[in-house]
């Protein structure tokens, strides 16, 4: 099965979306009862956290935590946006830098200027997009025209920009009152429309069955990930971190360690994305000499460039483990598949 397909379905009554690329599950979004990233609140400041440089806020969905709160006093009302999912027992992470994002455009209040995605290289197309934006934009907001504008209809782009500009104006004018949800973050199917590109969208009942999504999801319940060449990788989240163990399997050749490590590191970002895992990630590679570390790093960095989640390769521990820090953008799959 070649090509890219988006399958939209309800999974045990919960909204879900899957992106299948050449028969392989490339991305998976399943709704949860957590506040969605992108949700905008009018929040109320509660109390500062001494030593952490932040403040707790009251929202309709519970307490939120805001960093960099200079000039903010308890009782003040302010607009904030959810940036990710909270860890168990912790406050919702939010920011005051609001983004109004749709398929073709991102409106950026407080950051003026009109910019076109660097992925669009054609100078004539860039000029056309800038002309569309200048015709539609109002006020002092900034605008980013996304890579999905390439090949899109000019009228669709203009309408998308206008919708985000109008939404931004409405929200930014609503600054007084009790804590309230002003904009609900996009659910899985809206996110799929906004973020994914595919030749086919299957939204008819039974789409997950037709594209084998149920079996592909079932494989994610196991910590074991078979690798090309006979090796394997085991991914096990704990309370403090995500542990990744790479093994060579039955391969006893001199290059077995390097082959297993390369295959695992190419696959790791996809597996972390599908499993919804973030935070501190420790990778225990298969036995390999130190001289191969640079090559391993290059492979991992190349794989991370294909992944949208911010992930930093922090380096190596004294025990020879690779240490990564990954933004928590999703609820772990093990929680939504209970």
């Amino acid at each position: 099965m070649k090509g890219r397909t988006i399958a939209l379905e309800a999974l045990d009554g919960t909204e879900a979306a899957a992106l299948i690329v050449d028969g392989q599950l490339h991305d998976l979004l399943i709704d949860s009862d957590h506040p969605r990233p992108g949700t905008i609140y009018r929040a109320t400041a509660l109390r500062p956290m001494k030593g952490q440089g932040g403040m707790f806020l009251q929202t309709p969905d519970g307490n939120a935590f805001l960093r960099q709160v200079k000039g903010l006093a308890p009782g003040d009302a302010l607009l904030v946006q959810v940036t990710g999912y909270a860890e168990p027992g912790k406050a919702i992470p939010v920011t005051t830098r609001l983004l109004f994002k749709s398929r073709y455009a991102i409106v950026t209040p407080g950051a003026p200027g009109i910019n076109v995605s660097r992925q669009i290289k054609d100078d004539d197309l860039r000029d056309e997009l800038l002309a569309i934006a200048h015709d539609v934009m109002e006020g002092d907001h900034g605008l980013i025209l996304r890579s999905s504008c390439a090949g899109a209809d000019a009228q669709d782009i203009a309408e998308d920009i206008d919708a985000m500009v109008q939404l931004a104006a409405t929200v930014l004018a609503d600054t007084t009152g009790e804590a309230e949800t002003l904009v609900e973050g996009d659910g899985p199917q809206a996110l799929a429309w906004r973020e994914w590109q595919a030749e086919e969208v299957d939204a008819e009942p039974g789409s997950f069955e037709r594209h084998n999504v149920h079996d592909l999801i079932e494989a994610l319940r196991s910590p074991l990930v078979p690798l090309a060449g006979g090796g394997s990788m085991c991914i096990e989240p704990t309370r403090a971190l995500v542990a990744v163990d790479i093994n060579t399997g039955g391969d006893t050749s001199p290059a077995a360690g390097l082959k297993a490590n390369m295959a695992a590191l190419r696959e790791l970002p996809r597996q972390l994305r599908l499993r919804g895992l973030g935070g501190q990630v420790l990778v225990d590679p298969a036995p390999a000499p130190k001289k191969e570390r640079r090559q391993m790093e290059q492979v991992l960095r190349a794989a991370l460039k294909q992944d949208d989640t911010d992930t930093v390769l922090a380096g190596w521990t004294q025990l020879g483990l690779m240490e990564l820090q990954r933004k928590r953008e999703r609820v772990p799959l093990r929680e939504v598949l209970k």
Side-chain angles (χ1 to χ4, degrees):
M1 185 187 302
K2 298 294 184 180
R4 298 168 65 92
T5 300
I6 295 173
L8 307 178
E9 185 73 274
L11 190 64
D12 295 329
T14 301
E15 183 182 315
L19 176 62
I20 304 100
V21 179
D22 297 336
Q24 185 180 59
L25 188 60
H26 184 77
D27 208 345
L28 176 68
L29 299 171
I30 304 174
D31 210 358
S32 73
D33 55 3
H34 292 253
R36 294 168 174 171
T39 296
I40 299 176
Y41 300 120
R42 183 174 60 245
T44 304
L46 294 176
R47 65 184 188 281
M49 283 292 292
K50 294 182 179 179
Q52 294 190 26
M55 179 172 281
F56 281 115
L57 311 176
Q58 179 188 359
T59 80
D61 293 322
N63 284 358
F65 184 73
L66 175 67
R67 299 185 183 278
Q68 299 176 340
V69 292
K70 187 176 181 181
L72 188 63
D76 288 351
L78 68 161
L79 301 179
V80 294
Q81 188 167 41
V82 178
T83 59
Y85 291 101
E87 298 177 57
K90 295 190 176 181
I92 305 165
V94 295
T95 180
T96 56
R97 296 179 180 178
L98 308 185
L99 296 177
F100 296 86
K101 184 182 293 188
S102 191
R103 185 177 179 86
Y104 302 120
I106 304 174
V107 171
T108 58
I114 298 177
N115 299 284
V116 179
S117 169
R118 293 179 182 176
Q119 295 182 35
I120 298 178
K121 307 294 186 182
D122 186 280
D123 289 337
D124 291 338
L125 177 56
R126 293 178 68 89
D127 290 341
E128 290 175 15
L129 294 173
L130 288 172
I132 294 170
H134 283 293
D135 287 342
V136 179
M137 284 296 291
E138 299 175 0
D140 298 325
H141 305 320
L143 176 70
I144 300 171
L145 292 167
R146 310 183 71 191
S147 59
S148 53
C149 290
D153 181 78
Q155 184 63 31
D156 291 341
I157 296 172
E159 290 176 357
D160 215 32
I161 296 171
D162 184 62
M164 290 302 99
V165 169
Q166 297 305 319
L167 178 60
T170 300
V171 170
L172 295 174
D174 198 357
T175 57
T176 59
E178 300 296 323
E180 183 180 349
T181 302
L182 302 181
V183 177
E184 185 72 35
D186 287 336
Q189 296 183 5
L191 279 173
W193 171 82
R194 196 183 83 187
E195 301 294 337
W196 297 346
Q197 303 293 322
E199 293 86 10
E200 178 189 2
V201 177
D202 188 348
E204 296 299 318
S207 65
F208 274 20
E209 189 69 34
R210 282 190 294 278
H211 297 284
N212 198 36
V213 175
H214 293 296
D215 290 342
L216 296 173
I217 292 175
E218 190 62 29
L220 296 172
R221 293 181 183 271
S222 171
L224 190 65
V225 181
L227 300 172
S232 65
M233 169 171 58
C234 194
I235 303 175
E236 296 184 292
T238 70
R239 186 176 182 86
L241 51 84
V242 177
V244 180
D245 182 38
I246 304 173
N247 296 289
T248 59
D251 189 347
T252 58
S253 65
L258 180 61
K259 287 194 297 183
N261 289 330
M262 293 303 189
L265 295 174
R266 289 190 186 98
E267 176 67 8
L268 182 59
R270 186 179 76 95
Q271 289 292 330
L272 294 176
R273 180 172 67 249
L274 293 174
R275 296 164 189 263
L277 298 176
Q280 185 177 356
V281 181
L282 284 182
V283 181
D284 184 8
K290 283 188 176 181
K291 65 181 181 180
E292 293 178 353
R293 288 185 177 180
R294 182 180 295 276
Q295 191 175 352
M296 292 163 60
E297 291 174 9
Q298 291 173 343
V299 167
L300 179 58
R301 291 186 195 279
L304 290 172
K305 285 184 179 180
Q306 308 303 315
D307 187 70
D308 291 334
T309 302
D310 291 338
T311 305
V312 176
L313 173 56
W316 297 81
T317 70
Q318 290 186 343
L319 295 178
L321 307 179
M322 297 182 80
E323 188 174 11
L324 288 73
Q325 188 66 37
R326 183 175 177 87
K327 184 177 179 181
R328 286 188 172 89
E329 288 191 336
R330 300 184 181 182
V331 177
L333 188 65
R334 67 185 187 277
E335 292 186 20
V336 296
L337 291 181
K338 288 181 179 178

